[in-house]
Amino acid sequence: MGFLYEQLDFQRTPIGDLMLRRRRMPLFGDTDIYEVKLGEDFLMTSLFHEAESQLSILGLAAVERDDLDVVVGGLGLGYTAVEALKDPRVASLTVVDFLQPVIGWHQSELVPLGKTLNEDPRCRLMQADFFALMRHAPERQLDAILLDIDHTPTNVLHQSNTHFYTEEGLAEMARHLKPGGVFAMWADGRPEAFFTQRLDRVFRSAESHVIEFDNPITEGTSVGAVYVARI
């Protein structure tokens, strides 16, 4: 038995060729699997999104107040944003993505979570360079910033992103947080001690979490990391 494969969108972008595809695999029956690639990078799949969801759960749990103004860096397939909207304390959610086609997938509801985001009046999708906003935009006082863009602090999608992960770049981002605000970030693989320590030098406190989830493709367990830092 083979699998169904369908290319839903292909766009040339300033940072590489972007592809959205849908497939079915015998192992998962009639379940539609959505996948995103950028150039040679495999960015995400709808099969595995526990770490992206935990980014919102752990990040927002660290904020000790209500009426939250939250920014998510990186839209992807929408799992981080949708999980954030499940928190009733979230009053405003701005999701920033560099790639207009990714925003378009959700606005046209080409991907499954687009409808959820479109129907929630608290949510706004914004096409912009998240890293440039953190470095150059006027300070906007936020309760939480949740980031899911690069694979890891040292494995980035574009070299211009590397400044953000330095102490200087993290301090520039921290200016956008209210006292008691939280920065949380997803990364592939296990947490890296050097980055937790770097966060701890910029923020009042920092910690890392290991997110393990079943991987039926490998018949094993895969691992992601969520870093949480408080200003």
Side-chain angles (χ1 to χ4, degrees):
M1 178 179 177
F3 59 82
L4 170 72
Y5 170 93
E6 182 181 8
Q7 182 171 293
L8 298 178
D9 192 27
F10 178 88
Q11 301 280 342
R12 298 194 184 279
T13 81
I15 57 174
D17 293 342
L18 179 69
M19 180 192 299
L20 172 67
R21 61 193 186 189
R22 177 173 58 196
R23 69 166 71 201
R24 286 182 179 176
M25 301 174 66
L27 180 63
F28 303 104
D30 292 335
T31 299
D32 286 331
I33 302 165
Y34 291 81
E35 300 172 334
V36 180
K37 287 192 68 179
L38 180 65
E40 296 303 313
D41 283 309
F42 184 82
L43 294 189
M44 63 204 71
T45 173
S46 59
L47 276 179
F48 317 123
H49 50 82
E50 180 62 23
E52 290 90 337
S53 298
Q54 286 297 323
L55 168 59
S56 286
I57 293 169
L58 294 169
L60 295 180
V63 186
E64 298 176 347
R65 53 176 168 259
D66 296 327
D67 196 27
L68 303 183
D69 190 3
V70 180
V71 163
V72 170
L75 174 56
L77 290 173
Y79 291 102
T80 298
V82 167
E83 192 67 47
L85 290 169
K86 292 179 183 178
D87 191 321
R89 299 175 301 150
V90 173
S92 173
L93 180 73
T94 302
V95 188
V96 180
D97 202 283
F98 182 72
L99 299 171
Q100 181 60 45
V102 175
I103 293 175
W105 299 340
H106 290 268
Q107 291 174 330
S108 66
E109 300 180 6
L110 186 60
V111 289
L113 297 183
K115 183 177 176 63
T116 301
L117 297 180
N118 290 335
E119 292 182 346
D120 197 311
R122 297 172 296 167
C123 182
R124 179 170 72 103
L125 306 182
M126 176 182 179
Q127 190 280 316
D129 183 339
F130 170 85
F131 300 108
L133 288 177
M134 293 298 102
R135 191 170 189 181
H136 301 298
E139 293 180 26
R140 173 187 170 191
Q141 295 298 288
L142 301 163
D143 296 289
I145 297 172
L146 311 175
L147 179 62
D148 178 8
I149 294 180
D150 292 311
H151 298 302
T152 74
T154 55
N155 183 7
V156 297
L157 297 180
H158 193 274
Q159 285 305 303
S160 62
N161 299 354
T162 56
H163 171 80
F164 177 85
Y165 301 101
T166 66
E167 286 189 40
E168 180 183 358
L170 292 168
E172 290 166 349
M173 176 269 298
R175 294 184 294 106
H176 296 275
L177 289 169
K178 299 175 185 177
V182 167
F183 168 65
M185 188 186 89
W186 170 91
D188 189 29
R190 295 187 177 277
E192 298 181 273
F194 85 89
F195 190 67
T196 307
Q197 293 164 5
R198 186 174 296 169
L199 287 169
D200 203 37
R201 290 194 291 269
V202 175
F203 290 83
R204 176 169 55 89
S205 64
E207 61 191 22
S208 60
H209 302 264
V210 176
I211 311 299
E212 295 187 348
F213 51 93
D214 292 335
N215 186 332
I217 300 295
T218 64
E219 298 184 343
T221 300
S222 293
V223 175
V226 171
Y227 300 90
V228 179
R230 301 167 183 83
I231 196 69

Short mmCIF file of all heavy atoms in Angstrom, two decimals, residues 182-219:
data_model
loop_
_atom_site.label_atom_id
_atom_site.label_comp_id
_atom_site.label_asym_id
_atom_site.label_seq_id
_atom_site.Cartn_x
_atom_site.Cartn_y
_atom_site.Cartn_z
N VAL A 182 7.61 37.03 30.94
CA VAL A 182 8.27 35.74 30.66
C VAL A 182 8.65 35.65 29.19
O VAL A 182 7.87 36.02 28.30
CB VAL A 182 7.33 34.57 31.04
CG1 VAL A 182 7.84 33.25 30.47
CG2 VAL A 182 7.20 34.48 32.55
N PHE A 183 9.85 35.15 28.96
CA PHE A 183 10.29 34.73 27.63
C PHE A 183 10.41 33.22 27.65
O PHE A 183 11.06 32.65 28.53
CB PHE A 183 11.64 35.34 27.27
CG PHE A 183 12.28 34.73 26.06
CD1 PHE A 183 11.70 34.85 24.80
CD2 PHE A 183 13.47 34.02 26.16
CE1 PHE A 183 12.28 34.28 23.68
CE2 PHE A 183 14.07 33.44 25.05
CZ PHE A 183 13.47 33.58 23.80
N ALA A 184 9.78 32.55 26.68
CA ALA A 184 9.90 31.10 26.56
C ALA A 184 10.21 30.75 25.12
O ALA A 184 9.76 31.42 24.19
CB ALA A 184 8.62 30.40 27.03
N MET A 185 10.96 29.67 24.93
CA MET A 185 11.44 29.31 23.60
C MET A 185 11.49 27.81 23.42
O MET A 185 11.93 27.08 24.32
CB MET A 185 12.83 29.92 23.39
CG MET A 185 13.37 29.78 21.98
SD MET A 185 15.08 30.37 21.86
CE MET A 185 15.97 28.88 22.26
N TRP A 186 11.06 27.35 22.25
CA TRP A 186 11.21 25.95 21.87
C TRP A 186 12.53 25.75 21.13
O TRP A 186 13.01 26.63 20.42
CB TRP A 186 10.07 25.55 20.93
CG TRP A 186 10.28 24.19 20.28
CD1 TRP A 186 9.86 23.00 20.75
CD2 TRP A 186 10.97 23.92 19.05
NE1 TRP A 186 10.24 21.98 19.89
CE2 TRP A 186 10.93 22.53 18.83
CE3 TRP A 186 11.62 24.72 18.11
CZ2 TRP A 186 11.49 21.92 17.73
CZ3 TRP A 186 12.21 24.12 17.00
CH2 TRP A 186 12.14 22.73 16.82
N ALA A 187 13.13 24.58 21.28
CA ALA A 187 14.29 24.19 20.49
C ALA A 187 14.27 22.68 20.29
O ALA A 187 13.72 21.93 21.10
CB ALA A 187 15.59 24.61 21.17
N ASP A 188 14.86 22.24 19.22
CA ASP A 188 14.94 20.82 18.91
C ASP A 188 15.99 20.17 19.80
O ASP A 188 17.03 20.75 20.11
CB ASP A 188 15.31 20.64 17.44
CG ASP A 188 15.20 19.20 16.99
OD1 ASP A 188 14.37 18.47 17.55
OD2 ASP A 188 15.94 18.81 16.07
N GLY A 189 15.73 18.93 20.20
CA GLY A 189 16.70 18.20 21.01
C GLY A 189 16.66 18.59 22.47
O GLY A 189 15.79 19.32 22.92
N ARG A 190 17.61 18.07 23.22
CA ARG A 190 17.67 18.34 24.65
C ARG A 190 18.17 19.76 24.92
O ARG A 190 18.87 20.34 24.10
CB ARG A 190 18.57 17.32 25.35
CG ARG A 190 18.02 15.91 25.30
CD ARG A 190 18.81 14.93 26.13
NE ARG A 190 18.18 13.61 26.08
CZ ARG A 190 17.15 13.24 26.84
NH1 ARG A 190 16.68 14.10 27.75
NH2 ARG A 190 16.60 12.06 26.71
N PRO A 191 17.79 20.33 26.07
CA PRO A 191 18.27 21.67 26.41
C PRO A 191 19.79 21.72 26.44
O PRO A 191 20.46 20.76 26.81
CB PRO A 191 17.70 21.91 27.81
CG PRO A 191 16.54 20.96 27.92
CD PRO A 191 16.91 19.76 27.11
N GLU A 192 20.33 22.87 26.03
CA GLU A 192 21.76 23.09 26.05
C GLU A 192 22.11 23.98 27.23
O GLU A 192 21.60 25.10 27.37
CB GLU A 192 22.21 23.73 24.74
CG GLU A 192 21.94 22.84 23.53
CD GLU A 192 22.41 23.45 22.23
OE1 GLU A 192 21.65 24.21 21.63
OE2 GLU A 192 23.56 23.16 21.84
N ALA A 193 22.99 23.46 28.10
CA ALA A 193 23.29 24.15 29.37
C ALA A 193 23.82 25.56 29.13
O ALA A 193 23.49 26.49 29.88
CB ALA A 193 24.29 23.33 30.18
N PHE A 194 24.62 25.76 28.08
CA PHE A 194 25.21 27.08 27.86
C PHE A 194 24.13 28.12 27.61
O PHE A 194 24.28 29.27 28.02
CB PHE A 194 26.19 27.05 26.67
CG PHE A 194 25.52 27.23 25.33
CD1 PHE A 194 25.34 28.50 24.80
CD2 PHE A 194 25.06 26.14 24.61
CE1 PHE A 194 24.72 28.67 23.56
CE2 PHE A 194 24.44 26.30 23.38
CZ PHE A 194 24.26 27.58 22.86
N PHE A 195 23.02 27.71 26.96
CA PHE A 195 21.99 28.69 26.66
C PHE A 195 21.13 28.99 27.89
O PHE A 195 20.74 30.14 28.11
CB PHE A 195 21.11 28.22 25.50
CG PHE A 195 20.20 29.30 24.99
CD1 PHE A 195 20.72 30.41 24.34
CD2 PHE A 195 18.83 29.22 25.18
CE1 PHE A 195 19.89 31.42 23.89
CE2 PHE A 195 17.99 30.23 24.72
CZ PHE A 195 18.52 31.33 24.08
N THR A 196 20.85 27.99 28.69
CA THR A 196 20.15 28.24 29.96
C THR A 196 20.96 29.20 30.82
O THR A 196 20.42 30.13 31.43
CB THR A 196 19.91 26.93 30.72
OG1 THR A 196 19.24 25.99 29.86
CG2 THR A 196 19.04 27.17 31.94
N GLN A 197 22.27 29.00 30.87
CA GLN A 197 23.14 29.88 31.66
C GLN A 197 23.16 31.30 31.08
O GLN A 197 23.18 32.28 31.82
CB GLN A 197 24.55 29.29 31.70
CG GLN A 197 24.64 27.98 32.47
CD GLN A 197 25.90 27.21 32.19
OE1 GLN A 197 26.80 27.68 31.47
NE2 GLN A 197 26.01 26.01 32.74
N ARG A 198 23.12 31.40 29.77
CA ARG A 198 23.09 32.72 29.14
C ARG A 198 21.79 33.45 29.48
O ARG A 198 21.80 34.65 29.81
CB ARG A 198 23.23 32.57 27.63
CG ARG A 198 23.35 33.89 26.88
CD ARG A 198 23.64 33.64 25.40
NE ARG A 198 24.93 32.98 25.23
CZ ARG A 198 25.36 32.45 24.08
NH1 ARG A 198 24.58 32.52 23.00
NH2 ARG A 198 26.54 31.86 24.00
N LEU A 199 20.69 32.74 29.43
CA LEU A 199 19.41 33.34 29.82
C LEU A 199 19.45 33.78 31.27
O LEU A 199 18.93 34.85 31.62
CB LEU A 199 18.29 32.32 29.62
CG LEU A 199 17.85 32.02 28.19
CD1 LEU A 199 16.93 30.80 28.17
CD2 LEU A 199 17.16 33.21 27.55
N ASP A 200 20.08 32.99 32.10
CA ASP A 200 20.13 33.30 33.53
C ASP A 200 20.95 34.57 33.81
O ASP A 200 20.73 35.25 34.82
CB ASP A 200 20.74 32.11 34.28
CG ASP A 200 20.33 32.09 35.75
OD1 ASP A 200 19.18 32.45 36.05
OD2 ASP A 200 21.17 31.73 36.58
N ARG A 201 21.87 34.89 32.91
CA ARG A 201 22.65 36.12 33.09
C ARG A 201 21.87 37.36 32.65
O ARG A 201 22.16 38.47 33.10
CB ARG A 201 23.97 36.02 32.30
CG ARG A 201 24.96 35.02 32.87
CD ARG A 201 26.34 35.19 32.28
NE ARG A 201 26.38 34.81 30.87
CZ ARG A 201 26.66 33.59 30.43
NH1 ARG A 201 26.90 32.61 31.30
NH2 ARG A 201 26.69 33.32 29.14
N VAL A 202 20.91 37.17 31.77
CA VAL A 202 20.12 38.30 31.26
C VAL A 202 18.85 38.50 32.06
O VAL A 202 18.44 39.64 32.31
CB VAL A 202 19.77 38.07 29.77
CG1 VAL A 202 18.84 39.17 29.24
CG2 VAL A 202 21.04 38.01 28.93
N PHE A 203 18.23 37.40 32.50
CA PHE A 203 16.94 37.45 33.20
C PHE A 203 17.12 37.20 34.69
O PHE A 203 18.19 36.78 35.14
CB PHE A 203 15.99 36.41 32.60
CG PHE A 203 15.52 36.73 31.20
CD1 PHE A 203 16.32 36.42 30.10
CD2 PHE A 203 14.31 37.35 30.99
CE1 PHE A 203 15.89 36.72 28.82
CE2 PHE A 203 13.87 37.65 29.71
CZ PHE A 203 14.66 37.34 28.63
N ARG A 204 16.04 37.45 35.43
CA ARG A 204 16.07 37.21 36.88
C ARG A 204 16.24 35.74 37.18
O ARG A 204 16.91 35.36 38.16
CB ARG A 204 14.77 37.75 37.49
CG ARG A 204 14.62 37.49 38.98
CD ARG A 204 13.45 38.28 39.55
NE ARG A 204 12.21 38.00 38.83
CZ ARG A 204 11.37 37.02 39.15
NH1 ARG A 204 11.67 36.19 40.15
NH2 ARG A 204 10.25 36.85 38.47
N SER A 205 15.64 34.88 36.36
CA SER A 205 15.79 33.44 36.54
C SER A 205 15.53 32.76 35.20
O SER A 205 14.88 33.32 34.31
CB SER A 205 14.80 32.90 37.59
OG SER A 205 13.47 33.08 37.16
N ALA A 206 16.05 31.54 35.07
CA ALA A 206 15.85 30.79 33.83
C ALA A 206 15.90 29.30 34.15
O ALA A 206 16.62 28.86 35.07
CB ALA A 206 16.91 31.15 32.79
N GLU A 207 15.14 28.54 33.39
CA GLU A 207 15.13 27.09 33.55
C GLU A 207 14.85 26.45 32.20
O GLU A 207 14.38 27.12 31.27
CB GLU A 207 14.07 26.67 34.56
CG GLU A 207 12.66 27.05 34.15
CD GLU A 207 11.64 26.88 35.28
OE1 GLU A 207 12.05 26.87 36.45
OE2 GLU A 207 10.44 26.74 34.96
N SER A 208 15.14 25.17 32.09
CA SER A 208 14.88 24.44 30.86
C SER A 208 14.09 23.18 31.16
O SER A 208 14.19 22.61 32.25
CB SER A 208 16.19 24.09 30.15
OG SER A 208 17.01 23.28 30.99
N HIS A 209 13.29 22.77 30.20
CA HIS A 209 12.45 21.58 30.34
C HIS A 209 12.70 20.64 29.18
O HIS A 209 12.83 21.07 28.02
CB HIS A 209 10.97 21.98 30.33
CG HIS A 209 10.59 22.95 31.41
ND1 HIS A 209 10.05 22.56 32.61
CD2 HIS A 209 10.68 24.31 31.44
CE1 HIS A 209 9.81 23.63 33.35
NE2 HIS A 209 10.18 24.71 32.66
N VAL A 210 12.75 19.35 29.47
CA VAL A 210 12.84 18.32 28.44
C VAL A 210 11.43 17.86 28.10
O VAL A 210 10.66 17.47 28.99
CB VAL A 210 13.68 17.13 28.92
CG1 VAL A 210 13.69 16.02 27.87
CG2 VAL A 210 15.10 17.57 29.24
N ILE A 211 11.09 17.92 26.81
CA ILE A 211 9.77 17.48 26.36
C ILE A 211 9.96 16.20 25.55
O ILE A 211 10.54 16.22 24.47
CB ILE A 211 9.09 18.55 25.48
CG1 ILE A 211 9.15 19.93 26.16
CG2 ILE A 211 7.68 18.13 25.15
CD1 ILE A 211 8.45 19.99 27.49
N GLU A 212 9.48 15.09 26.07
CA GLU A 212 9.58 13.81 25.38
C GLU A 212 8.22 13.43 24.80
O GLU A 212 7.18 13.67 25.42
CB GLU A 212 10.06 12.71 26.33
CG GLU A 212 11.49 12.93 26.85
CD GLU A 212 12.00 11.75 27.66
OE1 GLU A 212 11.17 10.88 28.02
OE2 GLU A 212 13.20 11.70 27.93
N PHE A 213 8.22 12.87 23.61
CA PHE A 213 6.97 12.45 23.00
C PHE A 213 7.22 11.23 22.12
O PHE A 213 8.31 11.04 21.58
CB PHE A 213 6.36 13.60 22.18
CG PHE A 213 7.30 14.24 21.19
CD1 PHE A 213 7.36 13.79 19.88
CD2 PHE A 213 8.14 15.28 21.58
CE1 PHE A 213 8.23 14.38 18.96
CE2 PHE A 213 9.01 15.87 20.67
CZ PHE A 213 9.06 15.42 19.36
N ASP A 214 6.19 10.41 22.00
CA ASP A 214 6.28 9.19 21.20
C ASP A 214 6.43 9.55 19.72
O ASP A 214 5.77 10.45 19.21
CB ASP A 214 5.03 8.33 21.39
CG ASP A 214 4.94 7.74 22.79
OD1 ASP A 214 5.99 7.60 23.44
OD2 ASP A 214 3.81 7.45 23.22
N ASN A 215 7.30 8.82 19.05
CA ASN A 215 7.51 9.00 17.62
C ASN A 215 7.19 7.68 16.93
O ASN A 215 8.03 6.77 16.90
CB ASN A 215 8.96 9.41 17.34
CG ASN A 215 9.20 9.75 15.89
OD1 ASN A 215 8.52 9.24 15.00
ND2 ASN A 215 10.16 10.61 15.63
N PRO A 216 5.97 7.54 16.39
CA PRO A 216 5.60 6.26 15.78
C PRO A 216 6.37 5.95 14.51
O PRO A 216 6.41 4.80 14.07
CB PRO A 216 4.10 6.44 15.48
CG PRO A 216 3.89 7.92 15.42
CD PRO A 216 4.88 8.52 16.37
N ILE A 217 7.00 6.96 13.90
CA ILE A 217 7.81 6.70 12.70
C ILE A 217 9.03 5.88 13.07
O ILE A 217 9.39 4.91 12.40
CB ILE A 217 8.23 8.02 12.03
CG1 ILE A 217 6.99 8.82 11.61
CG2 ILE A 217 9.13 7.75 10.84
CD1 ILE A 217 6.16 8.17 10.55
N THR A 218 9.71 6.29 14.15
CA THR A 218 10.91 5.59 14.60
C THR A 218 10.61 4.50 15.61
O THR A 218 11.50 3.74 15.99
CB THR A 218 11.91 6.57 15.23
OG1 THR A 218 11.31 7.14 16.42
CG2 THR A 218 12.27 7.69 14.27
N GLU A 219 9.34 4.45 16.06
CA GLU A 219 8.91 3.53 17.12
C GLU A 219 9.72 3.76 18.39
O GLU A 219 10.00 2.82 19.14
CB GLU A 219 9.02 2.08 16.66
CG GLU A 219 8.12 1.76 15.47
CD GLU A 219 8.16 0.30 15.08
OE1 GLU A 219 9.11 -0.41 15.50
OE2 GLU A 219 7.25 -0.14 14.36
#
